[in-house]
Amino acid sequence: MGLFRNNTKKIVQEFKNKSEYYSNDLSKEIKESLEDLKSDFEENNDVIPEFLEFVSELKTKLNTVEVKKLEEFSSKLRKVNRCAKNGVEALRELSLNHRKVTTQTLRLYEEFEY
């Protein structure tokens, strides 16, 4: 019986080590992706206000059909901006949730070992 117990401990320890390794690797990738996405978003976030200011200047020089098209395009760009912002937030939440799950999983391994 003792042999089985030692073998089980080895297996659990091996699973724990591999799980921790893969989890840390994934955490690193998520963190890097979040940093890249966040910096890209922050770098380009001021484009929308600049574009909207440009649109308001152009409106006086365009006919009503062109103004309508430009406003529709502006609306679509604002939606793209919201999607990008939501993407950054979703990746941030994924990062937090992954860390939480990793911590819980490692606790489960520790409980199982004892």
Side-chain angles (χ1 to χ4, degrees), residues 7-63:
N7 192 29
T8 304
K9 279 187 174 185
K10 270 183 167 176
I11 291 170
V12 169
Q13 185 61 43
E14 197 172 312
F15 278 134
K16 179 184 175 191
N17 291 343
K18 285 186 180 186
S19 178
E20 192 171 12
Y21 170 79
Y22 291 135
S23 182
N24 289 340
D25 193 42
L26 184 57
S27 289
K28 181 181 172 189
E29 287 183 39
I30 291 171
K31 184 178 179 182
E32 288 172 357
S33 295
L34 176 60
E35 289 172 0
D36 290 346
L37 186 60
K38 190 176 179 181
S39 68
D40 286 347
F41 178 75
E42 289 172 354
E43 183 180 313
N44 295 295
N45 194 33
D46 59 341
V47 170
I48 298 296
E50 288 176 17
F51 179 73
L52 294 175
E53 185 179 318
F54 178 67
V55 166
S56 65
E57 291 172 11
L58 278 179
K59 282 182 181 180
T60 59
K61 301 174 184 173
L62 302 173
N63 65 43

Side-chain angles (χ1 to χ4, degrees), residues 11 28 44 46 49 77 87-88 92 97 100 112:
I11 291 170
K28 181 181 172 189
N44 295 295
D46 59 341
L77 280 178
V88 170
R92 187 187 71 77
N97 289 338
K100 182 180 174 184
F112 188 75

